[in-house]
Amino acid sequence: MRLFLVRHGESLGNINEQAYRQFGDHNVPLTQWGHRQAVEAGGAIASYLKALPSADFGRLQIWYSPFLRTRQSKDALLSALPESVVGDVREDYLLREQDFGLFTEIYDHAEQKQKFPEEFEKWARLRSNSGKFYARPPDGESRADVAQRVRLFLQTVMHDAENSDHNVVIVGHGVTNRAVEMNFLHRPVEWFERSDNPGNADITLIEGTRSQGYESILLHQAADRLPGQEGELRDAYGADVTITPKTGG
């Protein structure tokens, strides 16, 4: 079995947190650059599959989060994949981004503390006493909550894990994709705490069989902007919207 974990391409929220307030977390679009990244990720998967023996290949089962940036990334992937390699394409709400509750759309800790002082202090104590993995933002989800719902999702694909020719693509988010890897490879909580989110449009490949075990590798690292390209392709993909990046401290 092969499991391709693809994080969405660069979104407006990745270059300016104000986008989460303007659109709402679920409706933040990709940037033009992020769309290009996702197309290239689809090409990387296509190249990998092309190199496999024909007898060792099954059509891709593609799953994606319902958030706009993951739907756009899924479409970009599909545009780079031959139709002959694509099987079912399905959305699953269990793959959505972590819910930060009262802190949704507020990513600056100083502002969180200013607007919700009591809730912030309680959350800070939980993070200190229990660790980031278990600390639940007020009215939101902890990373442990995300890992639990991702485990539910994996039950829908695990029954095919015995088949070496089964290929699955998951287009998700940084935390949810890490939770998939944690569950699938039985990583400990310490691994999650020490690991970082994959980069935008990076691909982690998990490959193996249930009897022989699974391993993960970074199959594709998306291109980032080079010096001098910082201002390129920052407009929203598919919409006439531009968020000006923050400057200064």
Side-chain angles (χ1 to χ4, degrees):
M1 180 180 183
R2 296 175 194 86
L3 181 59
F4 300 89
L5 299 177
V6 186
R7 187 184 176 192
H8 62 80
E10 179 192 81
S11 73
L12 284 185
N14 293 130
I15 62 174
N16 192 319
E17 294 173 357
Q18 295 299 317
Y20 296 111
R21 296 182 181 180
Q22 181 170 339
F23 300 99
D25 194 8
H26 69 290
N27 209 33
V28 172
L30 293 179
T31 62
Q32 297 282 350
W33 187 277
H35 178 263
R36 174 189 290 182
Q37 288 178 316
V39 170
E40 291 176 354
I45 294 176
S47 296
Y48 180 86
L49 296 176
K50 186 177 180 180
L52 293 175
S54 58
D56 194 27
F57 172 74
R59 299 180 78 184
L60 294 170
Q61 310 301 307
I62 298 177
W63 297 86
Y64 59 96
S65 157
F67 282 25
L68 177 59
R69 55 191 179 274
T70 38
R71 288 188 282 117
Q72 289 180 325
S73 297
K74 173 263 301 179
D75 291 339
L77 282 175
L78 289 174
S79 71
L81 290 168
E83 291 185 10
S84 60
V85 307
V86 177
D88 294 332
V89 181
R90 298 172 181 171
E91 177 182 291
D92 197 304
Y93 69 95
L94 293 173
L95 295 173
R96 69 190 183 277
E97 177 63 291
Q98 180 181 1
D99 183 353
F100 288 93
L102 286 179
F103 297 156
T104 298
E105 302 164 14
I106 306 175
Y107 288 85
D108 180 70
H109 282 194
E111 187 175 352
Q112 292 171 350
K113 184 175 182 179
Q114 179 185 7
K115 290 192 173 183
F116 304 101
E118 293 182 8
E119 294 86 349
F120 181 87
E121 290 301 328
K122 180 179 179 181
W123 185 51
R125 287 196 303 272
L126 287 172
R127 287 162 62 94
S128 177
N129 296 334
S130 303
K132 291 173 63 177
F133 187 76
Y134 300 104
R136 182 177 291 141
D139 298 330
E141 292 181 299
S142 68
R143 292 174 170 183
D145 294 327
V146 176
Q148 285 182 317
R149 62 170 157 88
V150 165
R151 178 170 290 187
L152 288 176
F153 163 78
L154 283 175
Q155 291 178 4
T156 66
V157 296
M158 280 296 202
H159 69 279
D160 295 313
E162 295 290 350
N163 302 323
S164 62
D165 64 346
H166 193 72
N167 296 291
V168 177
V169 176
I170 294 175
V171 185
H173 306 266
V175 172
T176 50
N177 281 13
R178 271 200 293 157
V180 170
E181 184 173 359
M182 176 187 181
N183 278 292
F184 204 96
L185 297 178
H186 307 292
R187 305 287 199 199
V189 170
E190 182 184 3
W191 173 87
F192 197 103
E193 295 279 29
R194 288 188 290 104
S195 64
D196 296 320
N197 284 345
N200 292 118
D202 283 359
I203 304 173
T204 299
L205 171 63
I206 300 175
E207 187 173 19
T209 64
R210 186 172 295 175
S211 60
Q212 297 179 352
Y214 297 91
E215 294 183 351
S216 67
I217 63 169
L218 179 62
L219 178 67
H220 171 75
Q221 187 167 21
D224 205 351
R225 290 184 175 87
L226 298 174
Q229 295 180 318
E230 292 85 353
E232 293 184 14
L233 301 174
R234 286 182 172 269
D235 292 350
Y237 175 74
D240 295 328
V241 176
T242 301
I243 299 287
T244 303
K246 291 181 180 178
T247 58

